[in-house]
Amino acid sequence: MYLHTRRMSSDVLLRIKLKHLALATATLPFFAFCCCVFISIWLHFEGSTATHCLVRNYLPSISAAIGGYTPQRYIWRVAIAFHSAPRLLAAVVYYNYYRSFVPVNIGSGKYQRLCELNFCVYIIEMFSLVGLTYISSNENKRMHEVFFCLFVAGAVSYFICTCFLFAAAHRNAPPNLILEKSLKYKCYCAVFNVFALLLALYFYYRHNRYCETGVYTLFCFCEYLVVLSNIGFHMTAYLDFGDKEFVFETIKMDVETSMTRKGS
């Protein structure tokens, strides 16, 4: 008689360490942002720093730096386009990552709903960033403002949910200095982001109310701090995944046929 044996084998097409992907995803908008601000100051200083009440200003706002002029607009849009797909992957990875833990001091149902909420606000933050990137304030000011508000609300909500989830997931885990450092950096970036955002709102109100020289510059500087702390928060993903890898591979099924003698 003939005996058929099936054996599975795989060929790895691509292997990427998640921490390297996270680092590349975070540094791409960072360098694009720095380039846009530098080029705006260098080539379009007068136009990018102009204000509605004609007081002296020394820094371009983020909207002016990334959407007001070229080539800055193209640099920022290309960077956001390239970093969006890995961000989607990170959303799914983090969702499954948190769900793999057994929560302590919190009900399982509440923990799962918090995982889902964290995933949703992450997606809102990411897509609103794409929206305010490709719809500039010069093209459609109303839609740009809507996407900006969604981005801020989604980012702050994501920071809070992530800090809580990360602490709850690792509460009973063995001590890990790298993950403890990651949580500490997350909390620092979240607090700093909210503080810079509140300062930016204050200076924006004061500028529109009193039109004082230099106040809009302080608003722009606080805007920069909001962006940089947001990037810093997402960059902590480099610490979260250790040596975990994202692998593309093909699965092959090999069939071996052998002949055996049937017993009497």
Side-chain angles (χ1 to χ4, degrees):
M1 62 177 296
Y2 291 95
L3 178 65
H4 300 282
T5 304
R6 293 185 178 181
R7 184 178 60 186
M8 294 179 64
S9 61
S10 63
D11 292 328
V12 175
L13 303 178
L14 180 65
R15 188 188 301 272
I16 304 174
K17 286 188 179 295
L18 286 178
K19 64 180 183 181
H20 294 159
L21 184 63
L23 185 63
T25 303
T27 53
L28 191 61
F30 171 76
F31 286 114
F33 171 75
C34 293
C35 287
C36 289
V37 172
F38 176 76
I39 294 173
S40 294
I41 294 174
W42 181 34
L43 296 180
H44 309 106
F45 180 79
E46 293 298 330
S48 64
T49 59
T51 62
H52 72 282
C53 54
L54 305 179
V55 295
R56 192 65 178 168
N57 176 40
Y58 305 100
L59 288 175
S61 67
I62 290 180
S63 295
I66 68 174
Y69 301 92
T70 57
Q72 299 95 299
R73 184 188 304 128
Y74 303 141
I75 293 172
W76 183 250
R77 289 182 177 181
V78 168
I80 295 303
F82 275 104
H83 110 300
S84 296
R87 284 283 299 274
L88 276 175
L89 175 63
V92 177
V93 170
Y94 264 119
Y95 177 68
N96 292 319
Y97 174 75
Y98 290 128
R99 289 186 64 194
S100 66
F101 290 92
V102 178
V104 179
N105 297 331
I106 180 175
S108 178
K110 291 182 180 179
Y111 181 81
Q112 294 300 325
R113 285 193 292 272
L114 190 59
C115 291
E116 293 167 1
L117 175 62
N118 192 62
F119 176 80
C120 289
V121 292
Y122 186 99
I123 294 298
I124 290 172
E125 181 204 5
M126 192 199 69
F127 278 107
S128 57
L129 174 61
V130 174
L132 66 87
T133 294
Y134 285 92
I135 302 177
S136 69
S137 57
N138 294 331
E139 296 167 340
N140 191 325
K141 185 176 181 180
R142 178 64 177 169
M143 286 301 300
H144 184 82
E145 290 175 347
V146 169
F147 280 122
F148 175 78
C149 292
L150 285 173
F151 172 75
V152 171
V156 173
S157 300
Y158 175 70
F159 295 164
I160 295 172
C161 287
T162 296
C163 290
F164 184 82
L165 271 176
F166 203 85
H170 298 92
R171 186 163 292 143
N172 268 15
N176 187 314
L177 293 178
I178 294 178
L179 294 181
E180 290 174 6
K181 184 185 295 186
S182 176
L183 178 60
K184 184 186 299 184
Y185 288 162
K186 283 177 170 62
C187 293
Y188 286 163
C189 287
V191 171
F192 188 84
N193 183 271
V194 173
F195 180 71
L197 177 62
L198 293 176
L199 276 179
L201 292 174
Y202 167 72
F203 288 127
Y204 185 76
Y205 166 78
R206 185 164 173 172
H207 166 72
N208 284 283
R209 184 75 173 82
Y210 302 108
C211 279
E212 299 167 295
T213 300
V215 172
Y216 197 73
T217 301
L218 294 174
F219 162 73
C220 295
F221 181 71
C222 289
E223 269 195 317
Y224 299 170
L225 296 181
V226 170
V227 170
L228 294 176
S229 57
N230 182 290
I231 294 173
F233 188 97
H234 289 292
M235 195 174 288
T236 60
Y238 178 84
L239 301 172
D240 295 343
F241 296 114
D243 292 326
K244 294 181 177 64
E245 297 178 329
F246 188 73
V247 179
F248 292 88
E249 62 181 6
T250 58
I251 305 297
K252 297 186 296 184
M253 185 74 72
D254 299 325
V255 180
E256 294 183 351
T257 303
S258 57
M259 187 173 65
T260 63
R261 176 180 295 179
K262 184 176 181 181
S264 54

